[in-house]
């Protein structure tokens, strides 16, 4: 019987690409105050009056474009990764995959581990960078569900690994042959965006440092070490160095913004338009914040951004696949976890 558990946590995905399932997913996701951090009454008005009626059908249509015979790519890659970890870790380990929103749920994963007598769980969030809307929300939910057990197992949580050599090496190993084949003139590292207000909340100086200068994210310091934007730029610097890219060959941007409030910049969609307008004809896009391909990579970048780039004069936009369940990523997950907690 397994006595140790390894729990992978990702954000979530609808159960199917139909409008009702997508609506359920968006309702749970966007009801989270970590995600939409506004007045609760305003959040409900926005959710039920605007987002769910209008966005659910559009998102369902987008999900249908990327859905596979095995289901959602995010879930498929997560299950395959869990299986590879189980093979590598051995029979004394039980590996589970859970989603912060929808299925398989964190509660169900903990229940399966508990039923098998697991006494210790290594928790690995599939978010390389810290953000309250992802990392913070997932771990809070995990602790809440684990606290329902009188004999709860010990939880050992692997911290963010945005600059861990194994993470950077895995990204570079998978990206290098794609970049060589694409013959890209520019490489864009595109990360999921956040509203500026969520980033400045992590500023220990009370807003005197974060986003106050163009160079605030140029290095990780004691002041910005918990800043999502600074961590993303740190990943870009490490990845560019590993890939042998110089400053003029690559840049960092942020995608998937929603609403009218300012989000962290530069914006991916605007940069793609500007690059095409300035004569860049072949563009490659990496999405290091997404360890598994999903709607934001496959549809937002691989389909819509590619169409926009070509419509504005570009010749080719190549999306570099995420780490997904590649062997190099399975090995990296174990190495990152072992460096963080002893097992």
């Amino acid at each position: 019987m397994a006595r140790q558990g390894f729990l992978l946590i990702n954000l979530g995905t609808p159960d199917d690409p139909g409008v009702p399932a997508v609506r359920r997913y968006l309702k749970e996701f966007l009801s989270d105050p970590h995600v939409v951090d506004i007045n609760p009454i305003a959040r409900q008005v926005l959710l039920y009056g605007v987002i769910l009626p209008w966005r659910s059908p559009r998102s369902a249509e987008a999900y249908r474009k990327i859905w596979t015979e095995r289901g959602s790519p995010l879930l498929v890659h997560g299950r395959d990764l869990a299986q590879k970890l189980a093979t590598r870790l051995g029979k004394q380990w039980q590996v589970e995959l859970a989603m912060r929103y929808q299925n398989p749920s964190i509660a169900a994963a903990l229940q399966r581990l508990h039923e098998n007598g697991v006494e210790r769980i290594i928790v690995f969030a599939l978010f390389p960078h810290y953000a309250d809307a992802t990392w913070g929300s997932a771990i809070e939910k995990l602790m809440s569900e684990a606290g329902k057990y009188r004999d709860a197992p010990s939880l050992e949580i692997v911290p963010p690994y945005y600059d861990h050599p194994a993470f950077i090496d895995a990204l570079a190993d998978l990206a290098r042959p794609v970049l060589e084949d694409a013959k890209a003139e520019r490489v864009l590292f595109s990360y999921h965006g956040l509203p500026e207000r969520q980033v400045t909340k992590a500023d220990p100086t009370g807003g005197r440092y974060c986003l106050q200068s163009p160079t605030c994210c140029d290095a990780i310091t004691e002041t910005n070490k918990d800043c999502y934007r600074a961590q993303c730029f740190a990943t870009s610097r490490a990845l560019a160095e590993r890939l042998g890219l110089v400053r003029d060959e690559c840049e960092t941007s942020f995608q998937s913004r929603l609403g009218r409030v300012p989000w962290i910049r530069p914006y991916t969609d605007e940069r793609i338009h500007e690059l095409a307008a300035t004569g860049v004809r072949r563009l490659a896009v990496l999405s290091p914040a997404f360890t598994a391909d999903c709607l934001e990579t496959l549809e937002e970048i691989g389909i819509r951004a590619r169409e926009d780039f070509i419509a504005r004069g570009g010749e080719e936009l190549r999306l570099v696949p995420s780490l997904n369940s590649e062997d190099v990523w399975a090995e990296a997950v174990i190495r990152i976890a072992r460096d963080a907690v002893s097992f």
Side-chain angles (χ1 to χ4, degrees):
M1 181 179 292
R3 288 296 179 181
Q4 298 192 86
F6 200 104
L7 178 61
L8 297 169
I9 301 179
N10 212 330
L11 193 70
T13 182
D15 292 329
D16 63 67
V19 173
V22 171
R23 183 185 175 92
R24 287 195 302 272
Y25 169 69
L26 291 176
K27 178 183 176 181
E28 184 180 3
F29 175 41
L30 298 173
S31 293
D32 187 345
H34 290 278
V35 177
V36 183
D37 58 336
I38 60 176
N39 177 279
I41 296 176
R43 183 170 55 247
Q44 293 300 304
V45 171
L46 178 65
L47 183 62
Y48 288 98
V50 179
I51 296 177
L52 292 180
W54 296 100
R55 190 172 180 183
S56 297
R58 294 204 307 269
S59 293
E61 181 181 358
Y63 271 110
R64 285 192 290 271
K65 294 178 182 178
I66 68 164
W67 214 257
T68 73
E69 292 183 358
R70 294 179 60 196
S72 165
L74 186 77
L75 181 57
V76 169
H77 293 308
R79 285 173 170 164
D80 289 347
L81 178 62
Q83 182 57 54
K84 288 189 175 184
L85 293 178
T87 299
R88 286 164 170 76
L89 290 170
K91 295 181 180 180
Q92 292 303 309
W93 288 80
Q94 180 177 339
V95 181
E96 293 286 344
L97 170 69
M99 299 292 174
R100 169 60 183 89
Y101 311 104
Q102 296 296 284
N103 301 303
S105 69
I106 290 174
L110 287 176
Q111 178 66 28
R112 289 189 293 270
L113 290 162
H114 183 263
E115 289 173 350
N116 281 342
V118 170
E119 300 170 350
R120 177 196 190 201
I121 301 174
I122 308 300
V123 181
F124 193 99
L126 290 164
F127 319 119
H129 311 83
Y130 179 82
D132 187 57
T134 53
W135 225 91
S137 178
I139 298 305
E140 180 183 90
K141 179 67 172 178
L142 171 70
M143 301 304 290
S144 174
E145 294 295 340
K148 297 177 182 179
Y149 294 91
R150 291 184 178 180
D151 54 343
S154 66
L155 300 176
E156 298 185 37
I157 300 170
V158 177
Y161 43 90
Y162 61 92
D163 61 350
H164 193 287
F167 171 61
I168 301 299
D169 286 344
L171 285 170
D173 287 350
L174 294 175
R176 192 173 290 109
V178 180
L179 296 181
E180 291 174 356
D181 182 68
K183 296 180 174 59
E185 301 164 49
R186 187 69 61 91
V187 176
L188 190 62
F189 301 122
S190 179
Y191 300 81
H192 200 292
L194 289 175
E196 287 185 355
R197 66 174 182 269
Q198 292 189 14
V199 175
T200 56
K201 283 180 182 179
D203 184 354
T205 70
R208 296 192 303 275
Y209 181 87
C210 184
L211 302 180
Q212 295 304 301
S213 88
T215 62
C216 66
C217 294
D218 282 359
I220 294 292
T221 67
E222 188 62 28
T223 303
N224 69 8
K225 61 183 174 64
D226 295 322
C227 170
Y228 173 80
R229 186 174 185 271
Q231 291 181 1
C232 290
F233 274 96
T235 298
S236 292
R237 289 192 298 271
L239 190 51
E241 180 181 359
R242 198 75 90 253
L243 290 169
L245 300 172
V246 300
R247 181 182 295 271
D248 292 340
E249 294 175 328
C250 60
E251 59 183 274
T252 295
S253 62
F254 300 89
Q255 64 183 84
S256 308
R257 71 185 188 276
L258 175 67
R260 298 180 180 179
V261 299
W263 283 48
I264 52 177
R265 293 176 170 85
Y267 297 145
T268 294
D269 57 347
E270 290 185 356
R271 284 303 298 145
I272 286 174
H273 296 168
E274 291 163 357
L275 289 169
T278 56
V280 173
R281 294 295 172 259
R282 302 188 67 81
L283 176 66
V285 182
L286 281 78
S287 300
F290 301 94
T291 56
D293 277 316
C294 54
L295 191 71
E296 288 80 2
T297 62
L298 298 172
E299 195 275 336
E300 184 177 353
I301 301 297
I303 298 176
R304 279 191 286 136
R306 181 177 182 274
E307 291 174 349
D308 287 347
F309 182 67
I310 293 173
R312 293 170 186 269
E315 294 178 3
E316 182 57 50
L317 184 154
R318 180 77 67 88
L319 172 66
V320 177
S322 296
L323 294 165
N324 294 325
S325 57
E326 297 290 342
D327 289 342
V328 67
W329 178 223
E331 297 289 350
V333 168
I334 293 173
R335 179 181 163 191
I336 293 166
R338 282 185 168 145
D339 284 351
V341 295
S342 178
F343 67 90

